[in-house]
Structure formats: structure tokens, C-alpha cells
Amino acid sequence: MALIITEPVATFDLSQIKRGDLIWAKHKSWDEGKAGFVTSAKSEQLIAQYHPGIGNVTNHFIIPVSEAVAEDWEIRWSEDMSEVHEYNIPVEEVEDESE
């Protein structure tokens, strides 16, 4: 019997996303996504701050890596909007209009 079991563990690639990046994310339970910026990027979770549209307040949401791996989240992010990265964004089917 082994004392230590080494298994691959899913983590966020912190060379791809970091604190201060712009983010848009939508949880599968939400009707629409929220846009904000990453306030914390750790290998096990991302925290994003956004303006909820009421008063002079901000709110946040947390994206655990386990939920991202389970495809519960659609995520777009960018450092400077020159290049937007996507994760788990469904590809819309385009009808063939040549018929």
C-alpha cells in the first residue's frame, strides 16, 4: 500500500490570467454574464469584482477551478483588450445560407 498518492490536479494557469485582467464570466445558473476585473488569481480560484448596477457599490464572484473544469462557467478574459481569450464558450451553429 502506498503512503502517498500522486494525482494530477486541475489548476488555473497563472501565466494566462492574473490580477488586474479584464474578465467576463457566466455561471450556468445565471441568465447573463458579468463583466469586471480579476482581483485575485490563485491556482485554485479566481475572484472578480464587478459593478452590479445599483448605487455606488461593487460586488464580486468566485470561480473555483473545480467548477471551471466541470464546465459550469463560460469565461472570457484579456490583459489589454488587444487579444481576448476564451474558455468553455459555446460555438454558435451557423446555418448554411447558400441553400
Side-chain angles (χ1 to χ4, degrees), residues 15 20 23 27 30 35-36 41 54 61-62 65 69 77-78 81 83 87 91 93 98-99:
S15 69
I23 189 169
H27 188 266
W30 299 350
I54 55 170
F61 56 87
I62 299 171
V65 73
V69 169
W77 73 96
S78 178
M81 294 301 291
E83 183 178 4
Y87 175 79
V91 178
E93 293 182 26
S98 62
E99 296 179 7

Side-chain angles (χ1 to χ4, degrees), residues 75-88:
I75 305 169
R76 290 186 178 106
W77 73 96
S78 178
E79 181 178 358
D80 58 6
M81 294 301 291
S82 63
E83 183 178 4
V84 178
H85 307 280
E86 297 183 340
Y87 175 79
N88 193 36

Side-chain angles (χ1 to χ4, degrees), residues 3-82:
L3 177 61
I4 299 172
I5 299 173
T6 305
E7 296 181 13
V9 178
T11 61
F12 285 110
D13 183 353
L14 300 180
S15 69
Q16 296 294 314
I17 191 165
K18 64 183 183 325
R19 185 174 183 221
D21 284 358
L22 303 171
I23 189 169
W24 175 92
K26 180 181 178 292
H27 188 266
K28 68 179 182 179
S29 66
W30 299 350
D31 291 332
E32 52 188 50
K34 297 177 177 20
F37 58 93
V38 177
T39 57
S40 175
K42 297 181 180 176
S43 59
E44 69 278 357
Q45 74 177 10
L46 301 175
I47 300 176
Q49 185 173 346
Y50 70 98
H51 184 269
I54 55 170
N56 190 20
V57 297
T58 60
N59 205 342
H60 71 279
F61 56 87
I62 299 171
I63 305 174
V65 73
S66 59
E67 290 182 8
V69 169
E71 298 186 351
D72 291 347
W73 289 89
E74 298 173 18
I75 305 169
R76 290 186 178 106
W77 73 96
S78 178
E79 181 178 358
D80 58 6
M81 294 301 291
S82 63

